[in-house]
Amino acid sequence: MSTADFRSAQAVAADVREGRTTARAEIEAALARARDDRFNAYTAVFAERALAQAEAIDADLAVGRPVGPLAGAPFAVKNLFDVEGATTIAGSRIRRDAPRAARDATAVQRLTAAGAVLVGALNMDEFAYGFVTENAHDGPTRNPHDPARIAGGSSGGSAAAVSGGLVPLTLGSDTNGSIRIPASLCGVFGLKPTLGRLSRQGAFPFVESLDHVGPFARSVADLALAYDLMQGPDPLDPLCRRPAEPVAPRLQAPHLQEGADAPLRVGVLGGWFAQGAFPQVLEALEIVADALQARRGVELPGAELARAAAFCLTPIEAAHLHWPDLKVRPLDYDPAVRDRLLAGALAPDAVAEVARRYRPVFRDAVRAVFEDFDVLLAPASVCPAPGIGQATMEMGGQQVSVRKNLGAYTQPISYVGLPVVAAPVNRPGKLPIGVQIIAPAWREDLALAAALRLERAGVVAAHRPPEPAQ
């Protein structure tokens, strides 16, 4: 089996630029890890494309031409991102005979332009509808920290690939928590940016009003750089109009008032965000709160209603997208996904209208809370990773569905599109647990600055999974 590599993307690129290795050698090693993937993270490997790009980078370096900041660093993407010449399956059976993509998704284009080398596509819940990545067609993705446990979802392959040392950087999507939950359960960093910050062009849609794309990484620096490289308006995504506002340079200049060491007003969310949480989740949250000197608890009025509204909108908006296929090919869907989509198709229009109408009310409540705080802390998941196939768990003294409740603390935040960094709390020898660092709209810099401060203090860190038994 190929040896895992836990270097950062920027460290790999530096090794390539400074001649300690070549882009081809790095990509050959990443491709070998992809083929030996014991976590079932990959669903496709793009060897020919990856090697051609690596050779082009090496050729540029040989004659002194400039290369991008991630030159030679391998990355992989959730299999709902378009990759030129490949079929975008979005975790499904029904799309396996769809036409091949004519171009890369915008996010893939922008990372590739920075020199990062795409090596493959990654497992996910079918059509991103789930929190577990127990895919009915491609099998479950396994958590690198315990292969009997889930990686989370729906971007489970993206989190597991970074956690297991297959690649240093991946892309995922987050509708109701699909970056934050697998980042938490796999012990890596994830970023869900503000709705509309990064282009969704070429990412297969799920719920139009809730869909985000974002990166996973093993360090805050990599997370911030990848985020910066993907920023900027995209005429092909009507929501993505905001000019780029780079964060990484400010994080690297802590003497500036807006840098990583600037004072932060930090609140800890209680109420809905503490109900039913496992004890170790609350302990992890307390560790982070203490490190950031968060002295005040606060509640988001209406968070439970916001979660309910997102829960209603998800199947209704998704059913509208899938209705043509549901009518003629229902048996090609994962039954669990199909049944929820059918329920959404049957829901009265009035349900969706009420769910949408509450959004400005909750947004105003959130805005009022942020008048007193720069960032808010909350758990990223209600528990550590459950077992593969586990149907229920205990919350608040009751047995509840794993699939329906892993996103209890992430859905209210998605509902109003706020930026969040999921940061893995440093708990050596224990299953990973992450926290949400939530910032006001368009202030990803605040969430990343808080995460970097915690990382420098050793309070949060990407977990290295145990070595496999020989």
Side-chain angles (χ1 to χ4, degrees):
M1 181 174 290
S2 298
T3 303
D5 187 345
F6 297 106
R7 286 175 298 163
S8 71
Q10 292 180 75
V12 173
D15 286 344
V16 170
R17 283 195 307 272
E18 294 167 19
R20 291 185 288 271
T21 184
T22 64
R24 183 179 178 96
E26 292 296 335
I27 298 312
E28 285 179 340
L31 291 170
R33 293 192 294 272
R35 296 186 191 99
D36 291 340
D37 170 22
R38 66 184 185 277
F39 311 121
N40 195 32
Y42 280 95
T43 57
V45 177
F46 307 129
E48 184 176 350
R49 167 184 169 140
L51 290 171
Q53 186 185 350
E55 289 171 357
I57 291 168
D58 288 336
D60 285 343
L61 287 168
V63 296
R65 282 193 290 265
V67 294
L70 290 179
F75 78 107
V77 299
K78 189 174 184 176
N79 69 30
L80 57 64
F81 285 89
D82 284 353
V83 174
E84 182 180 359
T87 299
T88 307
I89 64 173
S92 71
R93 172 184 294 166
I94 205 166
R95 286 192 52 79
R96 300 200 181 209
D97 56 359
R100 297 181 180 186
R103 50 170 285 170
D104 289 348
T106 296
V108 176
Q109 287 182 19
R110 290 178 176 178
L111 286 183
T112 301
V117 179
L118 179 65
V119 297
L122 299 160
N123 204 3
M124 58 181 283
D125 287 288
E126 181 177 89
F127 291 121
Y129 206 163
F131 290 129
V132 294
T133 312
E134 294 185 55
N135 189 284
H137 318 297
D138 294 305
T141 291
R142 300 184 177 278
N143 194 311
H145 298 272
D146 181 349
R149 296 178 183 269
I150 65 169
S154 62
S155 307
S158 300
V162 173
S163 175
L166 304 182
V167 284
L169 184 67
T170 60
L171 293 184
S173 68
D174 189 311
T175 301
N176 285 305
S178 291
I179 288 174
R180 292 161 286 164
I181 290 166
S184 175
L185 301 188
C186 289
V188 296
F189 293 93
L191 171 63
K192 182 197 83 65
T194 308
L195 182 68
R197 171 67 87 175
L198 299 184
S199 174
R200 303 178 297 182
Q201 187 281 325
F204 194 85
F206 177 26
V207 181
E208 177 68 21
S209 68
L210 299 173
D211 287 347
H212 307 66
V213 301
F216 292 84
R218 294 188 59 84
S219 71
V220 176
D222 273 5
L223 199 71
L225 179 59
Y227 162 69
D228 282 355
L229 292 169
M230 292 186 287
Q231 284 193 57
D234 182 1
L236 299 177
D237 181 347
L239 279 185
C240 187
R241 301 188 297 269
R242 197 168 178 97
E245 298 172 298
V247 171
R250 283 182 280 165
L251 296 182
Q252 295 165 4
H255 62 281
L256 298 177
Q257 180 62 25
E258 67 268 28
D261 293 339
L264 284 174
R265 301 170 301 161
V266 182
V268 182
L269 289 177
W272 172 255
F273 295 92
Q275 293 179 25
F278 282 37
Q280 55 268 56
V281 170
L282 296 178
E283 291 168 7
L285 182 64
E286 185 176 357
I287 290 169
V288 171
D290 287 346
L292 290 176
Q293 299 181 334
R295 306 301 183 200
R296 291 177 56 190
V298 63
E299 293 194 21
L300 283 184
E304 185 173 2
L305 291 176
R307 194 258 178 149
F311 210 94
C312 289
L313 285 174
T314 297
I316 293 171
E317 291 192 18
H320 180 76
L321 171 68
H322 287 280
W323 186 239
D325 285 331
L326 283 168
K327 288 190 293 185
V328 297
R329 297 178 62 183
L331 297 182
D332 286 331
Y333 282 82
D334 176 345
V337 172
R338 180 190 63 225
D339 292 349
R340 284 177 285 172
L341 291 173
L342 289 173
L346 296 172
D349 291 342
V351 173
E353 178 59 28
V354 171
R356 294 187 183 104
R357 195 182 302 151
Y358 184 62
R359 186 175 276 131
V361 177
F362 186 60
R363 185 177 287 122
D364 286 345
V366 171
R367 189 178 294 118
V369 170
F370 274 119
E371 290 178 2
D372 296 323
F373 299 100
D374 297 308
V375 297
L376 300 171
L377 304 178
S381 59
V382 302
C383 60
I388 290 174
Q390 181 178 333
T392 63
M393 60 183 175
E394 185 174 310
M395 282 183 67
Q398 295 183 326
Q399 288 295 314
V400 300
S401 166
V402 168
R403 289 174 181 252
K404 291 180 180 178
N405 289 281
L406 278 175
Y409 306 144
T410 54
Q411 284 183 283
I413 310 306
S414 297
Y415 182 61
V416 287
L418 296 179
V420 188
V421 170
V425 182
N426 195 1
R427 304 167 69 239
K430 299 178 181 179
L431 286 173
I433 284 290
V435 297
Q436 294 185 87
I437 305 172
I438 307 160
W442 313 112
R443 293 307 306 270
E444 288 84 355
D445 60 314
L446 292 173
L448 287 161
L452 182 59
R453 184 177 306 180
L454 292 165
E455 186 183 39
R456 287 174 172 172
V459 176
V460 301
H463 293 220
R464 184 171 294 196
E467 292 294 327
Q470 298 298 319

